[in-house]
Amino acid sequence: AMKSSEHFISEDDAVNIALKKFAGNVVAVELDEDDGRYVYEIEIISGGKEAEFEIDAKTGKWLNVKSMMNEKRSGRNMARIF
């Protein structure tokens, strides 16, 4: 495990932040380091829609959301999740 003097929010906290934005089943959580910034990447699936969140591990702010649909659906039917 990575040892660091910096304080990160917990994985559970990051998941809860994401679930407040998009309720569903969490399928993946990963702590990723990008240019010295640590980000939780969280994938959530709900009813055929999938969203991938990036949440700053230090501040708990969400940085980015990608929403993806199952390939079976046509792109024109993409529903906004917010």
Side-chain angles (χ1 to χ4, degrees):
M2 183 185 68
K3 281 256 196 299
S4 169
S5 57
E6 300 190 77
H7 179 71
F8 295 143
I9 65 168
S10 72
E11 201 168 279
D12 284 348
D13 287 343
V15 165
N16 287 331
I17 291 165
L19 286 172
K20 282 193 186 112
K21 300 278 175 201
F22 185 68
N25 296 319
V26 176
V27 291
V29 182
E30 203 178 310
L31 180 60
D32 224 15
E33 189 254 341
D34 187 22
D35 291 334
R37 181 161 78 171
Y38 286 86
V39 172
Y40 283 106
E41 292 183 355
I42 299 171
E43 280 178 50
I44 300 175
I45 290 178
S46 175
K49 289 198 275 287
E50 184 178 328
E52 188 180 293
F53 287 82
E54 290 182 4
I55 292 172
D56 190 302
K58 264 199 254 188
T59 65
K61 293 208 168 81
W62 59 282
L63 307 169
N64 190 17
V65 183
K66 291 188 285 243
S67 91
M68 294 155 279
M69 303 296 279
N70 279 353
E71 294 77 46
K72 289 185 293 239
R73 302 193 185 205
S74 121
R76 277 177 319 192
N77 296 340
M78 273 200 65
R80 283 174 49 94
I81 56 175
F82 301 116

